[in-house]
Amino acid sequence: GDLVVGVRQLYPTGVPIADLLDIESVTYNPSGGQYWVGYESHHTIYRYSMTGEPERFVAPAYTANWGHNSGIEAMVRLADGRFVVLKETGGIGFLYRADPVDGAEPVPFRIAWPDGYQPVDMAQLPDGRVLILLRRLGWHLPVFESRLVVADPALIDPDKVWRVSPLVQLEDLLPRDNYEGLAVEPAADGSITLWLASDDNRSALQRSLLAKLRWAPESAEPQ
């Protein structure tokens, strides 16, 4: 049967919602092969097996009053098994000590995003910090402005504001567009490859782009 553990419900198996179309966040367990997907509109987190079978999902209670387009925009499973979930708007995040779909309780915290930016994706760096992709609207075409910032999950405190540090303004390196996807790939020489993907939203004014940047440890910014 269903299991109630301080969230709306945990479902052992199956995909009861037929129109899960808008994936906003994805994170992965390299040792077990499972991956977690955050869906917009329904505000759910699904865990899938390495073969793509849905295992369980959770609809967190804190999303009950979220708007249709204000979902679980960024999510990362940290190397120590904790999860960080970021709301698209409002400067709000949630820290889980373990897997949210197995009933781990969320700890809310506040975030100071810079200059009207909001999070769209997040990935963990080899040193334990997280790299966060931010976006805001500007007065130009394409309308998006994007920025990468770095923050330390070890400093998340429910009684304090989580601070982020700027890394690079993406327009200085890449064509302006609606970048929403981020992945981190460490290299043997200590450098880091950053993959960024944009979403065209089926608009003639946007494109689907895949960008590759290299961030060397001795460099202050990616290239």
Side-chain angles (χ1 to χ4, degrees):
D2 295 339
L3 188 63
V4 178
V5 289
V7 291
R8 274 187 273 170
Q9 282 185 320
L10 292 175
Y11 293 83
T13 57
V15 184
I17 301 172
D19 57 341
L20 290 174
L21 300 175
D22 195 351
I23 294 174
E24 289 294 344
S25 51
V26 179
T27 191
Y28 173 67
N29 177 7
S31 62
Q34 305 103 326
Y35 55 98
W36 291 257
V37 175
Y39 289 95
E40 195 166 68
S41 304
H42 297 295
H43 307 320
T44 52
I45 301 172
Y46 272 75
R47 186 180 69 215
Y48 293 86
S49 71
M50 63 184 300
T51 61
E53 295 297 320
E55 294 181 344
R56 307 182 77 171
F57 81 89
V58 62
Y62 54 74
T63 67
N65 296 319
W66 286 9
H68 184 76
N69 291 317
S70 183
I72 299 169
E73 190 72 16
M75 173 173 55
V76 64
R77 180 189 184 274
L78 302 174
D80 61 9
R82 295 180 300 156
F83 285 71
V84 178
V85 170
L86 303 180
K87 186 175 183 287
E88 183 175 3
T89 58
I92 301 171
F94 300 88
L95 175 66
Y96 290 87
R97 304 297 180 185
D99 189 342
V101 306
D102 284 338
E105 292 290 340
V107 177
F109 61 94
R110 294 168 295 145
I111 312 162
W113 299 125
D115 306 325
Y117 282 88
Q118 302 293 346
V120 290
D121 206 0
M122 173 172 49
Q124 190 170 28
L125 296 166
D127 65 6
R129 296 178 300 165
V130 291
L131 186 65
I132 307 171
L133 176 60
L134 304 180
R135 178 187 63 188
R136 73 177 179 184
L137 300 181
W139 297 98
H140 38 64
L141 291 175
V143 297
F144 302 101
E145 299 174 357
S146 302
R147 179 180 294 186
L148 290 172
V149 298
V150 177
D152 189 349
L155 300 180
I156 293 176
D157 187 326
D159 298 320
K160 297 180 181 179
V161 176
W162 196 37
R163 302 291 177 180
V164 303
S165 300
L167 180 62
V168 67
Q169 194 72 28
L170 283 185
E171 292 79 58
D172 295 340
L173 301 175
L174 300 174
R176 192 188 305 274
D177 220 299
N178 180 29
Y179 293 99
E180 290 194 278
L182 170 68
V184 168
E185 183 182 6
D189 64 358
S191 67
I192 302 169
T193 298
L194 308 180
W195 295 93
L196 295 126
S198 68
D199 179 7
D200 64 11
N201 283 317
R202 300 180 180 178
S203 168
L205 301 178
Q206 299 173 39
R207 294 170 292 176
S208 292
L209 302 176
L210 179 63
K212 180 181 180 181
L213 301 176
R214 180 176 177 269
W215 183 15
E218 67 275 9
S219 173
E221 294 184 352
Q223 298 174 353

